Amino acid sequence: GAGVSQTPSNKVTEKGKYVELRCDPISGHTALYWYRQSLGQGPEFLIYFQGTGAADDSGLPNDRFFAVRPEGSVSTLKIQRTERGDSAVYLCASSLNGDEQYFGPGTRLTVT
Amino acid sequence: SQQGEEDPQALSIQEGENATMNCSYKTSINNLQWYRQNSGRGLVHLILIRSNEREKHSGRLRVTLDTSKKSSSLLITASRAADTASYFCALPRRPIIQGAQKLVFGQGTRLTINP
């Protein structure tokens, strides 16, 4: 079966621009997570959804970051007024029973 | 902090040797997970060990958990070049909601297997 997919795989944007990153989880997985990973570091939790609702968004760094999952499947991470410090790999994961998380390949975001 | 700390930060061994990585943490946990990340396959779940388990095996992988010392180890036996990757321990972070748990990752151990 298909794994978690993320688009785009790479995104280069100018400082101040708006970006959207998409995550398509494994079909049937109710939990969806967003993480951010900087070079040489482990993934850092941002937000997770249980169904359509954000169960915990405590990892979002500020109000420029927002994520939605309107139908309980695909999720979009939105970043407004991007800054160079937002450059990182954004990882999405999904899980069925809350234990093992299946990660997508990530979106590498570069803010110039 | 519920972040695990991996040790060593980097490890380089010859193919065929065993590799051991450690993870220490500070708070009580109900499970601990190990993940592998390489450029080819991204971040992949390896094994989950629950707090009431002391040892778990999966192929060439052996994970131990000592809750009294708040530490876990990952042993890879008979290493192969394909095992070259970064290895992370991940701890669930409170609150844990049924069906989902956010994870806190350490900085990882970068393992290099030399042919």
Side-chain angles (χ1 to χ4, degrees):
Chain A
V4 177
S5 62
Q6 293 186 245
T7 55
S9 55
N10 282 283
K11 177 69 177 178
V12 180
T13 190
E14 292 180 347
K15 180 176 176 295
K17 298 291 188 182
Y18 168 83
V19 296
E20 288 189 353
L21 312 179
R22 175 188 168 111
C23 172
D24 207 331
I26 294 173
S27 178
H29 281 195
T30 56
L32 184 147
Y33 312 79
W34 284 98
Y35 295 85
R36 178 170 70 174
Q37 186 175 25
S38 300
L39 190 63
Q41 303 294 317
E44 174 192 18
F45 168 78
L46 295 177
I47 183 173
Y48 82 101
F49 293 84
Q50 183 66 281
T52 60
D56 187 328
D57 64 357
S58 62
L60 295 178
N62 51 59
D63 61 5
R64 295 186 297 105
F65 289 74
F66 189 71
V68 296
R69 194 187 186 197
E71 297 179 355
S73 179
V74 171
S75 175
T76 304
L77 178 65
K78 308 180 181 190
I79 310 174
Q80 299 177 322
R81 305 183 303 280
T82 52
E83 300 178 355
R84 292 194 179 89
D86 299 335
S87 296
V89 176
Y90 288 81
L91 297 168
C92 175
S94 68
S95 71
L96 179 61
N97 59 11
D99 286 341
E100 178 177 352
Q101 294 186 17
Y102 295 82
F103 282 79
T107 293
R108 182 176 299 278
L109 175 66
T110 303
V111 182
T112 63
Chain B
S1 168
Q2 287 177 265
Q3 181 175 352
E5 294 185 7
E6 289 93 344
D7 172 65
Q9 291 188 349
L11 179 62
S12 181
I13 62 173
Q14 295 300 120
E15 194 167 19
E17 294 180 340
N18 296 341
T20 300
M21 290 156 273
N22 303 294
C23 173
S24 59
Y25 57 94
K26 296 182 179 178
T27 61
S28 61
I29 58 172
N30 63 359
N31 72 71
L32 182 146
Q33 303 182 35
W34 284 91
Y35 285 78
R36 178 179 64 207
Q37 186 176 40
N38 59 32
S39 58
R41 292 195 59 197
L43 197 64
V44 175
H45 178 271
L46 294 177
I47 205 162
L48 180 152
I49 187 164
R50 302 194 185 279
S51 59
N52 61 353
E53 298 175 308
R54 293 296 168 259
E55 188 171 310
K56 206 163 182 179
H57 296 253
S58 177
R60 293 183 296 111
L61 306 180
R62 181 172 77 100
V63 167
T64 62
L65 179 63
D66 188 333
T67 54
S68 65
K69 295 182 179 178
K70 291 186 167 57
S71 69
S72 174
S73 68
L74 170 65
L75 168 68
I76 304 174
T77 60
S79 63
R80 305 168 181 169
D83 295 329
T84 294
S86 289
Y87 292 81
F88 298 91
C89 66
L91 307 175
R93 180 176 170 184
R94 298 178 192 281
I96 298 172
I97 299 174
Q98 186 176 4
Q101 56 180 351
K102 54 187 177 182
L103 297 175
V104 179
F105 288 80
Q107 291 193 338
T109 292
R110 284 166 291 286
L111 175 65
T112 302
I113 308 298
N114 302 304

